[in-house]
Amino acid sequence: MAVPLVLLMVVLTGCQAVGGVDVGQAMVNNTNLKSGESKQSIHINIEPDSQFATSEDLAMIKRINSISLNIDHAKMKDTETASVKGSLSMEGTKLPFHLTVDKSGMTIDVDGAQKPVYISLDTLGGAETMLLPLDTKELEKQMKQLSPKVLTFVMKHLSNPKNISVTPVQEAVNGETLSLNKLHMEINGEELLAMVKPFLTSIAKDEQGLKQLIGDLYDVLYPVFESYMGLEGMEGMEDDEMTSIVPQSKEEAVKSIYGMIQVSLDRMLENYDQELNNLLQEMPELKTVFGPETKLNLDLFMDSKLNIRKQNMSLKVAVPASENLPVRAVTLRSDSELWNIGGAVTVDEVDTSRGVMELTEGEVTPGQVLRNFDPNSFMYQLLKNEMKITAKSIFLYPEDEEYGAITVKNTTFVPLRYLSEQLDAEVKWSKGSNEIVVIDDITGDEIALTVGSPKAVVAGKEVTMVESAFVGKNGKTYVPLRFMAESLGAEVEKEPDTGWIFIDRP
């Protein structure tokens, strides 16, 4: 689906003026929004193929088709600060949510949560985590300035679809009736594919525009390249080696890169029709994806300032069905409204008075996440039963001296700390004592045992192990494998031929 979706975005940004309305400029305006309020609904519908779809496939597709996202009210204060209130629905159950985002991170509160979840930009791979010695704020500013230039270049070279029109209408946006221009567009997969060659041909003829775009890209990206070359391990590279990759002179870089692009475009266009035909022969599934059954229907409602105030879209992508993918088509539908564009907006902050649960990679366990939600809540069931965040699979090899299992008196033992930590459990060992306490990550129950004793206490109940825990010659504490795994909610299977041990926690 990615290919037609990408081309769809190109089509939307490339439309020429229709009925006196500059559609391309409207798209640029929409990408340059600095503040505003909106609402939106999104739904995906999968059409199964009756020949290949099994009953299990149909059940799964039915479940997916029941999912919808409704954003009741989104507020954008600026490019870094926003809030969203809405709900995610699945099989008739609705999950309300509320999130806010700012330059430091994102806070999300969902129905059933004891505390909102906080995700920092560091965790998301934000600017603070970048290894390059760059002024990230300046880079971000330049990228924002570059985007309209790229869109404008694309707009110059794309022709309009055949079925496109603009008519004046009266439409309600957030309860207010407005005089708007309605742009209606329809295009199928065949038309979409047919637009590529004229687009490339037009670009190949635009030497001045292409060089200008390369220059704009050079201004933004060359500092990134310079910073990368200055990283450890790259300092030894000679200057001529660097300039052979990207010249230091902007003029030389533009000339060199333009030459390479021009040669590539000429070669591509010289045999374009034959190469496309060969590609379709080698990958016949593309004939389905870019066939008449792939269809886009789009209505954009624009005001006199070319701001898009309302949008209704339906994109159907035909899929070549098979046993591995028993699907005929996937349809994405989206409706949205936008108001208070450029106005003063105050975001709805998530209530953090009861604290937050900060998600930090490698420090938050599945059990900690689950315990933040009511066991009867939709989110708890979604995380545990659908997303299966508690599921674990561990393989133990008898030959592995570091982490492998060993057999003593016909009992399989495993290093206690290794197995416990693989199952996210916490291990506590009182200094100067032989008593060990293991805390189950999922249930919070404690498993207490003593080195040299077969007695143990699991969730307050005393049990007797088949053999006592002991300290091996390597200094590691070993415990009976099956006892410890099952006490932590896992199942154990041993392959007779290889001796490999499989430990699975659902």
Side-chain angles (χ1 to χ4, degrees):
M1 290 183 62
V3 177
L5 283 172
V6 170
L7 287 179
L8 163 64
M9 296 307 300
V10 174
V11 169
L12 294 183
T13 58
C15 289
Q16 306 297 312
V18 180
V21 176
D22 191 336
V23 183
Q25 186 59 49
M27 297 305 299
V28 171
N29 289 353
N30 207 50
T31 60
N32 283 336
L33 286 178
K34 291 181 173 58
S35 66
E37 300 178 60
S38 63
K39 61 182 177 181
Q40 184 176 19
S41 64
I42 301 173
H43 179 70
I44 294 177
N45 184 73
I46 299 176
E47 184 180 339
D49 184 274
S50 57
Q51 179 182 354
F52 296 110
T54 65
S55 56
E56 291 81 3
D57 295 329
L58 293 174
M60 178 59 71
I61 290 172
K62 182 179 179 182
R63 170 173 289 189
I64 294 173
N65 287 346
S66 72
I67 298 174
S68 63
L69 174 66
N70 290 286
I71 297 174
D72 301 321
H73 199 172
K75 294 183 176 182
M76 181 179 174
K77 180 181 179 180
D78 52 47
T79 56
E80 295 179 330
T81 312
S83 67
V84 178
K85 289 183 177 180
S87 62
L88 178 69
S89 299
M90 185 173 71
E91 295 185 319
T93 302
K94 183 178 291 188
L95 175 67
F97 66 87
H98 178 195
L99 70 84
T100 55
V101 61
D102 56 30
K103 61 182 180 180
S104 62
M106 179 187 299
T107 306
I108 310 170
D109 195 13
V110 299
D111 190 44
Q114 297 179 26
K115 297 179 180 180
V117 172
Y118 178 75
I119 306 173
S120 71
L121 281 180
D122 288 343
T123 304
L124 292 174
E128 291 79 2
T129 66
M130 293 182 67
L131 298 176
L132 301 179
L134 289 171
D135 182 345
T136 54
K137 291 292 184 182
E138 180 61 26
L139 177 61
E140 182 181 351
K141 178 181 177 181
Q142 290 185 26
M143 290 299 292
K144 288 178 181 178
Q145 294 174 350
L146 179 63
S147 296
K149 296 177 181 178
V150 175
L151 291 178
T152 301
F153 176 79
V154 172
M155 287 187 293
K156 286 173 56 181
H157 301 292
L158 256 178
S159 56
N160 290 328
K162 295 178 181 178
N163 194 342
I164 187 169
S165 61
V166 171
T167 54
V169 294
Q170 298 287 311
E171 281 287 325
V173 176
N174 191 39
E176 180 184 4
T177 301
L178 303 176
S179 297
L180 304 171
N181 282 314
K182 173 186 175 182
L183 177 137
H184 176 75
M185 181 172 71
E186 297 179 16
I187 187 171
N188 64 34
E190 289 179 332
E191 293 176 81
L192 206 59
L193 192 59
M195 294 174 70
V196 175
K197 184 179 180 181
F199 174 65
L200 296 176
T201 301
S202 181
I203 289 178
K205 296 177 180 179
D206 186 8
E207 178 178 350
Q208 181 179 353
L210 191 52
K211 285 183 175 179
Q212 180 63 49
L213 180 62
I214 294 170
D216 293 335
L217 289 167
Y218 181 92
D219 290 337
V220 174
L221 299 179
Y222 187 75
V224 178
F225 174 76
E226 274 190 316
S227 299
Y228 173 76
M229 298 306 295
L231 292 178
E232 183 179 353
M234 304 298 292
E235 297 93 334
M237 184 172 285
E238 300 293 335
D239 289 343
D240 58 345
E241 292 181 271
M242 286 185 59
T243 55
S244 67
I245 301 173
V246 179
Q248 291 181 339
S249 164
K250 177 179 176 179
E251 183 179 353
E252 293 178 13
V254 170
K255 181 179 179 181
S256 173
I257 296 172
Y258 171 77
M260 290 188 291
I261 293 176
Q262 190 62 48
V263 169
S264 297
L265 285 172
D266 289 343
R267 288 177 179 173
M268 187 183 301
L269 291 169
E270 183 179 0
N271 300 305
Y272 181 86
D273 294 331
Q274 184 60 47
E275 292 297 330
L276 177 60
N277 184 63
N278 293 340
L279 179 63
L280 294 176
Q281 293 296 324
E282 294 172 5
M283 303 179 66
E285 59 270 21
L286 291 179
K287 295 180 181 180
T288 302
V289 176
F290 291 104
E293 292 301 311
T294 290
K295 298 177 181 178
L296 167 69
N297 285 280
L298 177 68
D299 290 326
L300 296 178
F301 299 84
M302 294 166 283
D303 61 20
S304 58
K305 297 180 180 179
L306 295 182
N307 293 315
I308 298 176
R309 305 298 302 275
K310 191 171 183 177
Q311 174 183 300
N312 301 323
M313 184 198 71
S314 173
L315 174 64
K316 177 182 178 181
V317 180
V319 179
S322 65
E323 290 184 2
N324 294 326
L325 186 65
V327 173
R328 293 191 70 254
V330 179
T331 301
L332 173 67
R333 292 187 176 88
S334 175
D335 302 308
S336 62
E337 297 179 15
L338 180 64
W339 63 95
N340 195 20
I341 298 173
V345 176
T346 302
V347 301
D348 297 319
E349 298 285 351
V350 171
D351 180 10
T352 58
S353 60
R354 59 190 190 275
V356 297
M357 178 180 181
E358 187 166 354
L359 291 186
T360 304
E361 186 176 0
E363 296 183 13
V364 180
T365 66
Q368 290 172 329
V369 173
L370 278 182
R371 286 193 292 276
N372 189 47
F373 296 93
D374 183 332
N376 296 317
S377 68
F378 175 74
M379 192 64 188
Y380 183 97
Q381 300 301 321
L382 180 67
L383 290 170
K384 190 173 191 305
N385 301 327
E386 303 298 332
M387 299 177 66
K388 299 186 182 299
I389 67 169
T390 62
K392 290 277 185 173
S393 294
I394 307 166
F395 305 92
L396 294 179
Y397 303 91
E399 296 82 2
D400 189 341
E401 295 182 1
E402 185 71 16
Y403 304 115
I406 60 174
T407 301
V408 179
K409 297 180 182 179
N410 295 320
T411 299
T412 302
F413 286 79
V414 68
L416 179 144
R417 184 171 294 276
Y418 173 73
L419 178 63
S420 300
E421 291 181 349
Q422 287 295 303
L423 293 172
D424 305 305
E426 181 182 358
V427 180
K428 293 183 177 181
W429 193 333
S430 302
K431 190 174 182 179
S433 168
N434 286 331
E435 184 175 286
I436 305 169
V437 176
V438 179
I439 303 174
D440 188 331
D441 176 54
I442 308 303
T443 64
D445 293 337
E446 292 188 354
I447 304 162
L449 51 89
T450 303
V451 174
S453 171
K455 300 295 183 180
V457 178
V458 180
K461 296 181 180 179
E462 186 174 290
V463 297
T464 302
M465 299 182 289
V466 291
E467 293 289 345
S468 304
F470 68 91
V471 178
K473 294 179 180 180
N474 57 7
K476 297 180 183 295
T477 300
Y478 286 84
V479 291
L481 167 61
R482 192 171 296 277
F483 160 78
M484 183 54 66
E486 292 180 351
S487 296
L488 293 173
E491 298 177 351
V492 179
E493 286 189 16
K494 187 172 184 179
E495 193 173 84
D497 296 336
T498 64
W500 291 355
I501 298 170
F502 300 89
I503 304 169
D504 291 296
R505 183 181 70 191

